[in-house]
Amino acid sequence: MLFANETSRRWWLLGAVSCVLGLVLLDETVVGIALPTIQETFGLSDSAGHWVVNAYLLSFACLVAVGGKLADLFGMLRVFLIGLTLFALCSIACGFAPTGEILIVARALQGVGAAIIFPIFLAMITMTFPKDVRGGALATSSAVGTIFLALGPLVGGLFTDLLSWRWIFWINPFVAVAVGVIVTITWRDVDRPRGERIDWLGLVLIASGMCFAIFALMEADSWGWNSPVIWTCLIAGVALLGLFFRVESRLDVPLIEVRLFSSPVFTASNLTLFMTQYAKMPLFVFVALYAQTELKLTPLWAGVLVMLAPVLTPPASAFCGRIADRTPKRRLVTCGLTLLLVSSIWLLVTEPMKNALLFAPGLVIAGLSFPFLFTPTRAAIAEALPECKHGQGGGIAMTSQIIGGTVGLAASSAAYALGGYQAVFALTAFLTAAVMAHAMFAFRGV
């Protein structure tokens, strides 16, 4: 039998839950390729089209901090299957969406499902594998996720060109059903302390603050920067996020323990993760748009071009993993941010030339940078905190990363409305340089 012994059971479980990471990462790259076709199908403006991506990211970012806590309160397997079912059903709804508005709503609900299952898959791995093999299990999971990430643009281009863009959503339920069956059979719960109550006030503050701020950035072009609505939303968003940090700093059981940001290394690590995910939005959304609108490539060939960004990430991850333990983290992070900065400048300079061959090296350089930004920062977060805070620190890092994606798309949308693709890449380069300056200072001696 497939699950006849404990070792096989563990590795089947690992393979299944790793596909959850794969689905989440696939969504980062696959939708961007299909976005021009989706906009044409429903007659969506650029701003409305970007909401197809950011509705998912926004609900994911706002709710990911509670996914693990729900599992602690109501049971790991039960909550995982509920989240997986929600994700699959909303994927089906996305594929059958008759209007752009319904698609955006379905994408937001799909993000809720992703926010529930994403923290749980990590917990399942750490609870299933003993310490002596846990590192290998996590590395295997990351490798599976990276493969999905790298194949996303090509898969999106193939489906959009040869079948329909709707298949980029319809493929998810097949994977979800297989994952659900295998996890149900192979999961073995363990005794653990009952979860503490959820900080609902903190959740409302961060969700409403993010929604107001992101809406203002993404709709500023449509409403106009002089619109009182835009400035009211922007001010309200900033005020609510400020109130969130003030409230969280006073709670014994906060949604996010903001006191941990008193550590310079912890703060710089989260800022680096934020920036890394931010930079993926210009690469996987705006480059996909640029390839089809300016370079006049088909969705399939646009997918091939965008795939250059993550294609070298797996070998770069293997190399970074080998040298991570004996190389100062400051050097690795600086290397990664330098590569990301060079990539952004390269795209900025070559964008007006409208030449795919000249443009492509900038994407390859970006893919090389990602492992040097994710690997050392996650290790630095663990080392900067006492062991009893590792779970909270990891959750904050995950939240910072996902918020980086939704802010990245919103800010890039605003930049695009003001100055086109060059403004998108220029803003990314500027912010990367600012984060690099801060990281070089914060990581000194690490």
Side-chain angles (χ1 to χ4, degrees):
M1 293 180 63
L2 291 177
F3 317 122
N5 58 65
E6 184 65 11
T7 300
S8 65
R9 180 191 70 81
R10 288 173 176 169
W11 287 100
W12 273 94
L13 177 69
L14 175 65
V17 297
S18 295
C19 289
V20 171
L21 174 62
L23 286 177
V24 173
L25 293 180
L26 182 70
D27 197 84
E28 290 184 9
T29 57
V30 73
V31 178
I33 295 298
L35 196 55
T37 306
I38 293 172
Q39 288 181 238
E40 183 180 350
T41 300
F42 296 125
L44 300 176
S45 65
D46 287 337
S47 174
H50 294 163
W51 275 112
V52 174
V53 178
N54 220 4
Y56 172 87
L57 293 174
L58 185 58
S59 59
F60 194 173
C62 291
L63 298 174
V64 70
V66 304
K69 293 188 177 183
L70 287 172
D72 289 340
L73 286 170
F74 302 110
M76 189 76 67
L77 181 61
R78 180 187 303 171
V79 175
F80 180 84
L81 292 177
I82 290 172
L84 191 64
T85 301
L86 178 62
F87 184 87
L89 290 176
C90 291
S91 296
I92 295 172
C94 288
F96 283 107
T99 67
E101 291 77 11
I102 292 176
L103 175 60
I104 291 169
V105 172
R107 287 282 287 159
L109 293 174
Q110 188 186 30
V112 175
I116 294 172
I117 59 180
F118 193 71
I120 298 176
F121 103 87
L122 286 171
M124 282 183 162
I125 293 174
T126 57
M127 292 167 65
T128 298
F129 287 84
K131 288 184 178 180
D132 58 334
V133 294
R134 189 177 298 158
L138 291 170
T140 300
S141 178
S142 297
V144 172
T146 303
I147 290 171
F148 274 76
L149 177 72
L151 292 177
L154 182 60
V155 171
L158 281 170
F159 282 157
T160 304
D161 246 6
L162 303 181
L163 294 173
S164 166
W165 62 264
R166 297 179 185 275
W167 274 99
I168 68 175
F169 299 113
W170 285 338
I171 196 67
N172 291 339
F174 295 101
V175 179
V177 169
V179 168
V181 170
I182 294 173
V183 170
T184 300
I185 295 172
T186 58
W187 172 246
R188 302 290 183 271
D189 210 347
V190 297
D191 292 332
R192 61 191 186 280
R194 183 174 175 80
E196 298 170 321
R197 64 179 180 82
I198 295 174
D199 172 21
W200 293 109
L201 175 59
L203 178 60
V204 169
L205 289 174
I206 192 173
S208 56
M210 286 282 295
C211 287
F212 277 119
I214 297 302
F215 176 86
L217 289 173
M218 292 190 65
E219 295 297 323
D221 182 54
S222 300
W223 292 66
W225 281 102
N226 294 325
S227 169
V229 174
I230 293 299
W231 281 102
T232 299
C233 289
L234 191 58
I235 292 169
V238 173
L240 287 167
L241 291 174
L243 182 60
F244 168 78
F245 276 92
R246 184 178 179 84
V247 169
E248 295 298 284
S249 65
R250 298 181 176 184
L251 293 179
D252 294 329
V253 187
L255 183 69
I256 294 177
E257 193 168 341
V258 297
R259 289 185 291 266
L260 298 180
F261 285 95
S262 60
S263 165
V265 172
F266 182 81
T267 300
S269 296
N270 279 277
L271 190 59
T272 301
L273 290 171
F274 173 95
M275 189 64 231
T276 306
Q277 198 70 13
Y278 177 110
K280 286 185 178 182
M281 294 302 105
L283 290 171
F284 296 133
V285 176
F286 286 90
V287 168
L289 292 170
Y290 171 76
Q292 294 174 72
T293 59
E294 302 296 324
L295 301 181
K296 307 303 181 184
L297 299 179
T298 64
L300 176 57
W301 283 107
V304 172
L305 179 65
V306 175
M307 196 173 69
L308 293 176
V311 73
L312 291 183
T313 298
S317 297
F319 173 75
C320 187
R322 285 197 300 269
I323 68 171
D325 291 333
R326 60 179 186 271
T327 305
K329 294 176 179 60
R330 182 176 186 266
R331 188 176 300 173
L332 293 173
V333 172
T334 301
C335 175
L337 288 170
T338 300
L339 288 170
L340 191 59
L341 178 59
V342 170
S343 167
S344 300
I345 295 173
W346 190 295
L347 299 179
L348 170 64
V349 171
T350 59
E351 185 276 335
M353 302 177 187
K354 306 294 188 289
N355 186 304
L357 292 178
L358 293 176
F359 192 76
L363 302 176
V364 177
I365 295 169
L368 290 172
S369 73
F370 295 145
F372 293 92
L373 298 172
F374 285 124
T375 302
T377 48
R378 287 168 175 160
I381 286 172
E383 294 176 10
L385 302 176
E387 189 171 347
C388 62
K389 298 292 184 181
H390 283 183
Q392 178 68 213
I396 292 174
M398 188 187 305
T399 303
S400 298
Q401 181 178 332
I402 297 167
I403 288 177
T406 191
V407 173
L409 184 56
S412 296
S413 297
Y416 176 76
L418 294 173
Y421 294 106
Q422 278 196 300
V424 172
F425 301 133
L427 179 59
T428 305
F430 172 77
L431 293 175
T432 302
V435 171
M436 183 166 65
H438 179 267
M440 292 177 67
F441 175 78
F443 278 99
R444 65 190 188 281
V446 178

